[in-house]
């Protein structure tokens, strides 16, 4: 009888161990399934993030191409540039006045005599110095001609000013004419000349 009891105890112990092993295996299977589920979620999230990033990059690339094309297609005309320059000359004040005046001019801008073609001012730095002691005043023109060169970004403005209304270029106390050449949204060249009233030339004529 004692031997039978021992056998029963051994059987019960074996059954208990088997049950514990099955429970342990079930837990391992459940943990593995959970890990796979998490891995799948992470993979889906990474794929979704990569897809969104690709879409954003595509949109930004398209916008950059569009902006580049727009920038290449659009240029300020001579009228717009000269009007801005004249507005700044008349009204700009303070420490940044010269900077504002120079905004429209190319680095290698040239100021020349319209009559002789002689270079009077060479470069933006020299032009800026020439404006250093010139005070702003009314510089409205009484006559203007706009010229546009076909199939190019080059435009011209010819302004005729009365004496005392020239924008810091030319002879201040004489009627004068200024011709501006503009390309790629910059004033690249200005020609100027005084109008000799003795020869019948004036702002009125």
């Amino acid at each position: 009888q004692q031997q039978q009891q021992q056998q029963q105890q051994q059987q019960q112990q074996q059954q208990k161990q088997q049950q514990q092993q099955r429970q342990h295996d079930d837990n391992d299977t459940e943990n593995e399934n959970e890990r796979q589920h998490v891995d799948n979620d992470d993979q889906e999230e990474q794929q979704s993030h990569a897809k969104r990033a690709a879409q954003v990059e595509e949109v930004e690339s398209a916008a950059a191409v569009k902006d580049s094309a727009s920038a290449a297609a659009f240029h300020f005309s001579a009228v717009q540039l000269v009007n801005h320059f004249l507005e700044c000359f008349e009204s700009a004040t303070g420490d940044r006045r010269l900077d504002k005046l120079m905004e429209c001019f190319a680095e290698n801008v040239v100021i020349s005599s319209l009559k002789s073609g002689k270079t009077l001012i060479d470069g933006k730095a020299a032009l800026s110095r020439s404006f250093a002691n010139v005070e702003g005043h009314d510089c409205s023109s009484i006559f203007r001609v706009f010229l546009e060169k076909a199939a190019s970004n080059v435009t011209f403005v010819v302004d005729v000013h009365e004496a005392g209304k020239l924008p810091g270029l030319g002879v201040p106390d004489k009627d004068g004419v200024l011709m501006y050449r503009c390309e790629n949204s910059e004033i690249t060249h200005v020609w100027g000349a005084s109008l000799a009233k003795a020869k019948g030339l004036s702002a009125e004529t």
Side-chain angles (χ1 to χ4, degrees):
Q1 184 177 2
Q2 185 176 3
Q3 187 176 2
Q4 289 178 350
Q5 289 178 350
Q6 289 177 349
Q7 289 177 349
Q8 289 177 352
Q9 288 177 353
Q10 289 177 352
Q11 290 177 353
Q12 290 175 353
Q13 186 174 3
Q14 289 176 352
Q15 290 176 352
K16 184 176 181 181
Q17 289 177 347
Q18 291 175 353
Q19 185 177 3
Q20 290 176 344
Q21 183 63 38
R22 284 196 300 272
Q23 185 176 0
H24 179 73
D25 291 342
D26 291 341
N27 289 338
D28 287 346
T29 301
E30 183 177 352
N31 290 336
E32 180 63 24
N33 291 335
E34 184 174 353
R35 282 195 298 271
Q36 290 180 352
H37 180 71
V38 170
D39 291 342
N40 289 336
D41 288 345
D42 289 343
Q43 187 176 4
E44 289 178 359
E45 185 177 354
Q46 290 176 357
Q47 292 175 346
S48 177
H49 178 73
K51 185 177 180 180
R52 288 196 301 270
Q55 290 174 341
V56 170
E57 184 177 357
E58 183 178 355
V59 171
E60 290 179 346
S61 178
V65 171
K66 182 178 180 181
D67 290 344
S68 177
S70 298
F74 178 77
H75 295 280
F76 288 109
S77 70
V79 172
Q80 293 169 308
L81 289 167
V82 174
N83 283 347
H84 180 66
F85 162 63
L86 296 178
E87 181 182 350
C88 291
F89 181 86
E90 290 180 350
S91 60
T93 58
D95 295 336
R96 294 198 64 250
R97 180 173 186 270
L98 290 178
D99 293 335
K100 292 178 180 179
L101 287 175
M102 294 299 105
E103 284 178 350
C104 296
F105 291 93
E107 286 295 331
N108 58 345
V109 63
V110 175
I111 312 299
S112 302
S113 167
L114 186 59
K115 296 178 180 178
S116 67
K118 180 181 177 181
T119 297
L120 305 176
I121 298 175
D122 190 1
K124 182 187 283 190
L127 180 60
S128 179
R129 289 192 295 271
S130 75
F131 281 108
N133 298 316
V134 180
E135 295 183 358
H137 55 259
D138 176 27
C139 52
S140 56
S141 61
I142 63 170
F143 183 76
R144 168 173 284 184
V145 176
F146 172 71
L147 303 172
E148 186 174 10
K149 188 176 181 180
S152 75
N153 298 323
V154 178
T155 55
F156 295 85
V157 159
V158 180
D159 278 347
V160 178
H161 297 268
E162 293 178 315
K165 292 189 176 182
L166 287 160
L169 301 168
V171 181
D173 58 351
K174 291 184 178 181
D175 294 354
V177 58
L178 295 172
M179 182 170 71
Y180 302 83
R181 180 189 185 275
C182 302
E183 184 176 8
N184 296 330
S185 299
E186 292 181 322
I187 299 173
T188 60
H189 206 134
V190 184
W191 293 266
S194 299
L195 299 177
K197 292 186 177 181
K199 297 182 179 181
L201 297 176
S202 67
E204 293 180 356
T205 59

